[in-house]
Amino acid sequence: MNISYKYAAVPLLFLITNIAIAATDCTVQTDLPIAECQELVRFWESTEGDMWTDADTNNWNVSNAPCQWTGVTCTNGHVTRITRATEVSGRHIGFDLVGTVPEDLDLPELTTLSVGYNALEGTIPNFTHLPKLESLSLTTNAFTGTIPDFDNLPALKTLNLSDNQLTGQIPDFHFLPNLTSLSLQQNQLTGSLVDFSNLPKLSRLSVANNQLTGTIPDFQHLPELTRLIISFNNFTGTLPNFNNLPKLTQLYVPYTQLSGELPTLDKLPKLTTFYAYNNQFSGNLPSFDKNAELTRLNVSNNQLTGTLPDFTTTPKLSHIVLNNNKLTGELGDLSYLTELTTLFIAGNSITTQAIKLPASFTGHYNDFGYFITQTPDSSTAATPRGTDPSISVLLSALNTLLDDENNLLDISLHSELSQETTVDIYLATLLPNGSELLFISPTEGLTTQPSALVTGAIMGEETDYHLLSIPILGLPSGLYPIYQIITEQGKAPLDTTNWLSGQFNLLFFAINTSESSVTAFKHYLHGKKLYQDNCSGCHHDETRNPQFLFEAAKSPRLIRKTFDDNVDNKSYLNFLSDADLQAIADYVTTPYNPLATNTQ
């Protein structure tokens, strides 16, 4: 039997669908008045919203629910907040907004506009149609031109225009009677600093890093002021005593060209931080006996004279930085300063034979020009370890000369000593792979066995030493940094607790190493030295890693801003050039050890 099957022909239908993401239709959405929805779309278009870093997920100009767009907050059917910046692990970031902010942005119920940390440009609008705006942040963009007076923003409380390219004079902002915080630092503003007498609620003021001139007002009409930062400007005259600012807690005036005597700040009982370094202040250092809350004092690099004040009335001091003045006297018992972590007094005529530091002190102690980290010995807890205040050696004067023709390394040392002391002096280098320390011996050349260049040297006055010339023939190719180690006579140099001083220098010699490697290593050492000398305060907040902070920034300008925002800003690094700042960043963020990089 023949069985046949009949198959019906079933056509296969391929459905081809063109899927397109439609733009928001403001006439269809029901979240907001049509006009407010259209203003959001106009803001998106003006700042190239399709290129924002979160454009794929933020729903701007995609959905018909504008109140659900990332960074938009609505209240009672109106837009009240636009935020296109955020904070991630203590780091402020934007979303790559570019272009301009619409001049006539019209959102009548908007209270917050935060678009900092982007790349917006053009002039800053007066925002005439944002009458309820309370917080405006345009920080860290590329805005130019002058600052408007914002005459239609009577509710404004917080204004942050810092880190742009603004020019011209600072307005008196007399249309902003409710302003409490004003940040204008890191611009190119000129002219004199107004007294802001029409801003009675102002509590935070920063105009640092501009080109302001003239004298500093006493701000007698700002009784609520708690933080005043006027650093890095070109003022003249003296520093007011700010007697009418009883709530002031932080006062920063470094690099302001001020002169005259430092005022007595006895009307500032809540003052915790006073930074006045790198000016031309003269006269005696005030007593600070009415500033019981003071924790940080830095008046270094001035022309202050006289003896040190008694710090017993300021028991909360953690940082005392007085280096490079003309101060005299003896620094004795400081054991009562139980919070002390940093003490810098180099470049004065202060004796320290009787110094006593608190048992808990494990920070930085310096009386001869470079940083020493101390670890107290449990048996002599109040006695500083890791340094001897009687020795003052200018290690930067250690000179090396590589004689290629004769394969000799010539080393000399210039020393300045504050008190006669008997010492042993060692010099050492490190194998290029970082695996072994080699001592520089006058008889053996480079050796793994500790060998003092000078034994039992009596060092008591300014002296020039020619230490040795040694052969370098046969050493492996690479880069050799130079270390200097000074120990008490007879103490083992491989035990760092015996070091009276130990310094990693900018000095090194290279053997059969490419010019590019030498240049890169010089850059690395330069950054390391700058970091050691200038960054003791860059990350005093131990919850933040300095490497993380540097990686958060993409340029010297943003590095400065990163520290300004994240490290209780004292603008530690702003006096460095961009090249020096980049060298520090490269050193901190280098993912490899340059000592192991030796290209022929």
Side-chain angles (χ1 to χ4, degrees), residues 196-335:
F196 301 111
S197 57
N198 295 298
L199 306 179
K201 298 180 181 180
L202 195 65
S203 65
R204 298 166 68 92
L205 172 62
S206 177
V207 294
N209 296 88
N210 282 288
Q211 301 164 24
L212 301 174
T213 55
T215 59
I216 297 174
D218 61 9
F219 301 113
Q220 61 178 314
H221 301 291
L222 304 180
E224 301 299 316
L225 200 64
T226 62
R227 185 174 185 178
L228 177 60
I229 305 175
I230 57 178
S231 320
F232 298 91
N233 281 289
N234 300 311
F235 296 117
T236 55
T238 59
L239 181 68
N241 59 21
F242 301 117
N243 280 345
N244 295 296
L245 306 179
K247 296 184 180 181
L248 195 66
T249 61
Q250 297 174 321
L251 175 58
Y252 304 110
V253 296
Y255 286 91
T256 49
Q257 312 300 318
L258 295 175
S259 58
E261 294 189 2
L262 283 173
T264 300
L265 305 176
D266 54 2
K267 302 296 184 181
L268 306 179
K270 297 184 177 182
L271 190 68
T272 63
T273 305
F274 179 44
Y275 280 24
Y277 56 87
N278 288 83
N279 285 294
Q280 287 93 48
F281 290 118
S282 57
N284 293 334
L285 187 64
S287 67
F288 303 104
D289 58 350
K290 303 296 184 182
N291 308 114
E293 301 299 315
L294 192 64
T295 61
R296 293 174 176 268
L297 172 65
N298 188 338
V299 292
S300 60
N301 298 299
N302 282 286
Q303 301 170 30
L304 299 172
T305 56
T307 58
L308 295 176
D310 184 355
F311 293 117
T312 56
T313 57
T314 51
K316 297 182 180 180
L317 273 171
S318 63
H319 286 61
I320 302 176
V321 184
L322 309 175
N323 46 292
N324 298 322
N325 281 286
K326 300 176 181 179
L327 299 169
T328 59
E330 182 174 357
L331 196 61
D333 187 358
L334 298 179
S335 59

Side-chain angles (χ1 to χ4, degrees), residues 134-146:
E134 297 180 1
S135 178
L136 175 61
S137 177
L138 307 178
T139 182
T140 317
N141 281 285
F143 289 108
T144 55
T146 59

